Amino acid sequence: MTESPAEVWTNACIATMDGPEPFGLITDGAVALGNDRIQWVGKRSELPPPFDRWPDKDLHGRLVTPGLIDCHTHLVHGGNRAREFEMRLMGSSYAQIAREGGGIMATVRATRAETVESLFRSALPRLDALIAEGVTTVEIKSGYGMDFETESTMLRAARALGSLRKISVLTSFLGAHAVPEDFRHDPDRYIDEVCLPALDRAHADGLVDAVDGFCETIAFSPDQIKRVFERARQHGLPVKLHADQLSDLGGAKLAAGFGALSADHLEYTNAAGARAMAESGTVATLLPGAYYTLRETRLPPVDLFRNHGVPIAVATDANPGSSPITSLLTIMNMACTLFRLTPEEAFLGATRNAALALGLHDRGIVREGYRADLAVWDVDHPREIPSRIGPNPLVDRICGGGT
Ligand code: DI6
Ligand code: FE
């Protein structure tokens, strides 16, 4: 990968996702790049020295945005769940399949049979699909091992993906994803004997950037999630939570109580949960891919989040079961079409707010001093991108100044 030289992009329409203007739009704009950072951004007519003497690159009026951020994925996993896709088409429910030992546990059985190398190789095409759509930062979870070794194996594969491709990878430990078969009648013992020791080990090996959990009737109770989050707190790790996806267990409020970076899914989140998230600065990460795939009918309370000033992010939730989708552009369209976000909210959800959902404050906005993570699109206005599904309008992408 080559580092890009210091240069000024000119004759660009820039959606900074910053400031009071819709999309933070700057027409006939310029952005100066150097040392992997944005050095200046503004109207081309106001370009100050020394940037006005730097080599320039004419973008011919194309759109520049922050590089996209996919803040919730399960990209690393073994096997596929196409058979369950057929079963659901024939009337089985996601929860029923999970209760019968399928669902997440089917992928666990497949993943435990893999190595770091094989998990890395099978995830690479999924990562490349995101990169092809302008993604410059991606979050990747464990959660299909749920044993002492495989949780770390998954996270090592995730770290390897970030070293081979020009993209930032953040990892989340998701040992509390589902109750493994041999602990089916004693989930507390799974938390104590497997999940927490696996977290301790993965953290000690530098594999964990955040800790996640699945708080749901088919997964873990609020009390069990609390124990995982208390261990995360002991390690100084931030938390996030799959919350209120299929029922209201107060997951959003629980997450907010731990100052979570984000609470995700949220179809069943109530007003108390939204209030708590607003007070704690927890981001609402909406996952329309899972809502679409599982043909859910309960919409997340978008107006509650809006009215309480809760930042909204959107993400693929790319996983083999509930959201087998590796297109963040499609997710942006679904967030508008299914959840009624505006195109600007969808774009904020895949840039600025997605960065906040990962605890990142150096990207997601085109602003001086931020990372030179940028995407260039062959469209006239940013609203065009969430307004359609295909063709992919990306024409260039730089990550930390490099390609
Ligand atoms: N919620 C989801 O939608 C995914 N995990 C979770 O906690 C489902 C993952 C899968 O079905 O494999
Ligand atoms: Fe998920």
Side-chain angles (χ1 to χ4, degrees), residues 72-74 141 174 177 212 242 264-265 287 317-319 322:
H72 181 135
T73 86
H74 306 255
K141 306 175 190 292
L174 179 59
H177 194 188
D212 193 348
H242 287 66
D264 303 28
H265 284 292
L287 305 171
D317 191 17
N319 75 71
S322 70

Side-chain angles (χ1 to χ4, degrees), residues 215-246:
C215 187
E216 192 51 72
T217 50
I218 58 170
F220 292 93
S221 71
D223 285 344
Q224 289 156 355
I225 294 296
K226 277 178 193 163
R227 286 167 44 218
V228 177
F229 281 6
E230 276 151 9
R231 183 63 59 89
R233 185 178 273 172
Q234 288 167 18
H235 290 315
L237 291 169
V239 298
K240 48 183 55 253
L241 187 63
H242 287 66
D244 309 332
Q245 178 186 1
L246 307 172

